[in-house]
Amino acid sequence: METRIVKVNRDNPEVELIKEGAELIKSGKLVAFPTETVYGLGANGLDEEAASKIFVAKGRPQDNPLILHVSSLEEVKQLVKSIPKQAEIIAEKFWPGPLTMIFERSSLIPDVITAGLDTVAIRMPDHKIALELIRASGVPIAAPSANTSGRPSPTIAQHVIEDLYGKIDMIIDGGATGVGLESTVLDLTGELPTILRPGGVTLEDLKPIIPDVTLDLSIVKDEDNIIPKSPGQKYRHYAPKAHMIVYCGQVDDIVEAIKNRAKELIEEGKTVGIMATDETKSSYQEGMVVSVGSRKDMGTIAHNLFNVLRNFDEKKVDIILSEGVEMEDLGTAIMNRMKKASGGNIIYV
Ligand code: AMP
Ligand code: MG
């Protein structure tokens, strides 16, 4: 398949190019586009056949439901049984933005979207290109991250090209995404509002609006026997090709442990990538040292994380030794992605 790549201005999207993308969506084709979180792989969310193509292109397991993207709260009405008052309040505060809400689904939605669940995930992205594309398509756009399933999510168009070129119809290149991590998934259908996947909107952001909000146990605990409520969370995910180990604890202890392990591995002839931070990078004398961002600004780490993981792959490192961060604010989402990327390979020092 021929993949058309077009550059679109993120602040002032070219109407003709957006129209072209929208026509493809309407005719059941696949279009990758930027959002403020990561690049999404979009298809008409009301078209069973179109949405099925997403699973094929990504190699995504069928039991992992898709998020529908809308451009207004009004559009949610036809997709759900009802909009709870709480959801309206949350949407008022956080939409457009990196927050997905789970609702009871309506019968309009094809089963392939929800993976057969009674619920549906919906979000309004905070990105002009995404919003214009949804509006011009006139349908909700189903869009998971535009990567091959299991790989780090794409934060620039080049990542999408690497994974999906020749498998999809169009890639809209709107430059780098902002947050760099996927949206927070918030379930409002249970007894307590529960975060199923931590993301751009944090627990701390949500608490003042919904004080009883909690984190799903699978996010907090490391044990394997806790089955996440969000189907997608049970897979190894966001993973580089290299083996990865994440070190958690006091920063000084982390640095010491990584230095020691790097030394051993290098002596064994391995190529070692070290994912450091601005504050610690000068402490390492060996290995391929890359700072993922500043410990004083978790936003920089979230923004760079997937790109750094992909770059280590390009450099063909055998093993990535990564510093962990505190599980608070955006750190919760960062640690969740590091945990998945490493296949749960975490060492507490
Ligand atoms: P992705 O768009 O690939 O970043 O993944 C979407 C995430 O939302 C996955 O973790 C899904 O399991 C989750 N998700 C989508 N729909 C639902 C739903 N109805 N209930 C729970 N989680 C969902
Ligand atoms: Mg994904």
Side-chain angles (χ1 to χ4, degrees):
M1 179 190 300
E2 183 127 355
T3 303
R4 180 158 149 71
I5 303 172
V6 293
K7 275 207 191 319
V8 173
N9 185 308
R10 61 172 304 152
D11 301 315
N12 197 6
E14 292 82 351
V15 179
E16 281 313 306
L17 295 174
I18 294 291
K19 248 197 198 157
E20 198 184 321
E23 286 308 317
L24 288 171
I25 294 279
K26 279 195 262 187
S27 62
K29 303 281 199 309
L30 299 183
V31 178
F33 60 96
T35 78
E36 84 281 30
T37 58
V38 299
Y39 271 75
L41 178 58
N44 180 349
L46 300 181
D47 178 343
E48 175 115 46
E49 208 182 310
S52 302
K53 291 181 189 164
I54 290 178
F55 291 85
V56 178
K58 280 179 62 84
R60 183 177 174 102
Q62 288 287 342
D63 68 348
N64 192 2
L66 306 176
I67 296 173
L68 290 180
H69 293 71
V70 296
S71 63
S72 72
L73 186 59
E74 186 61 29
E75 291 160 40
V76 176
K77 278 190 191 151
Q78 58 161 351
L79 307 173
V80 303
K81 283 223 172 97
S82 65
I83 302 181
K85 183 79 196 133
Q86 195 171 44
E88 269 179 41
I89 297 167
I90 295 167
E92 176 75 27
K93 172 94 178 129
F94 295 103
W95 277 9
L99 179 75
T100 296
M101 286 190 271
I102 309 283
F103 298 87
E104 311 262 354
R105 65 180 278 196
S106 79
S107 56
L108 195 66
I109 301 170
D111 283 341
V112 67
I113 299 286
T114 64
L117 298 174
D118 300 331
T119 54
V120 61
I122 305 178
R123 164 171 119 83
M124 179 160 131
D126 186 13
H127 195 291
K128 267 200 178 159
I129 294 177
L131 290 172
E132 292 294 323
L133 186 68
I134 298 163
R135 276 185 208 121
S137 303
V139 291
I141 296 186
S145 47
N147 53 305
T148 298
S149 249
R151 294 216 66 209
S153 297
T155 55
I156 52 174
Q158 184 55 37
H159 297 160
V160 184
I161 294 169
E162 277 164 27
D163 284 13
L164 298 176
Y165 188 83
K167 296 182 177 170
I168 63 177
D169 299 280
M170 187 177 188
I171 297 172
I172 298 180
D173 180 353
T177 60
V179 181
L181 298 180
E182 300 80 355
S183 61
T184 302
V185 176
L186 177 68
D187 186 3
L188 295 173
T189 65
E191 232 165 77
L192 289 177
T194 306
I195 294 177
L196 304 184
R197 174 176 74 182
V201 171
T202 66
L203 179 74
E204 291 81 354
D205 293 332
L206 286 165
K207 275 252 158 94
I209 317 287
I210 35 172
D212 53 350
V213 63
T214 62
L215 285 171
D216 189 50
L217 260 190
S218 64
I219 299 167
V220 191
K221 299 261 165 111
D222 280 344
E223 288 101 72
D224 284 342
N225 56 357
I226 300 167
I227 298 170
K229 272 221 211 91
S230 194
Q233 287 288 88
K234 65 177 185 253
Y235 297 105
R236 177 154 189 234
H237 235 317
Y238 323 116
K241 289 171 190 149
H243 185 69
M244 177 169 166
I245 308 174
V246 184
Y247 290 79
C248 292
Q250 298 285 339
V251 179
D252 291 349
D253 298 336
I254 293 176
V255 172
E256 200 52 35
I258 291 182
K259 277 166 86 170
N260 290 338
R261 189 71 189 119
K263 195 173 176 47
E264 289 168 6
L265 289 163
I266 289 163
E267 275 167 15
E268 288 169 22
K270 298 267 175 13
T271 316
V272 177
I274 296 178
M275 193 148 76
T277 46
D278 292 353
E279 290 77 11
T280 59
K281 65 171 187 252
S282 60
S283 313
Y284 302 99
Q285 279 84 44
E286 289 178 288
M288 196 178 294
V289 184
V290 177
S291 171
V292 68
S294 169
R295 288 182 168 276
K296 297 194 195 91
D297 181 1
M298 287 291 146
T300 60
I301 298 182
H303 180 82
N304 297 327
L305 179 65
F306 289 138
N307 194 34
V308 170
L309 290 178
R310 278 183 182 256
N311 285 343
F312 276 135
D313 272 348
E314 237 167 59
K315 301 266 157 57
K316 300 213 167 19
V317 304
D318 300 312
I319 185 158
I320 300 167
L321 306 178
S322 172
E323 295 181 10
V325 298
E326 292 294 320
M327 281 274 285
E328 57 188 35
D329 292 308
L330 206 45
T332 309
I334 294 167
M335 279 310 297
N336 171 266
R337 304 308 189 273
M338 285 190 182
K339 205 195 275 184
K340 304 269 174 216
S342 65
N345 220 344
I346 298 188
I347 294 179
Y348 294 90
V349 292

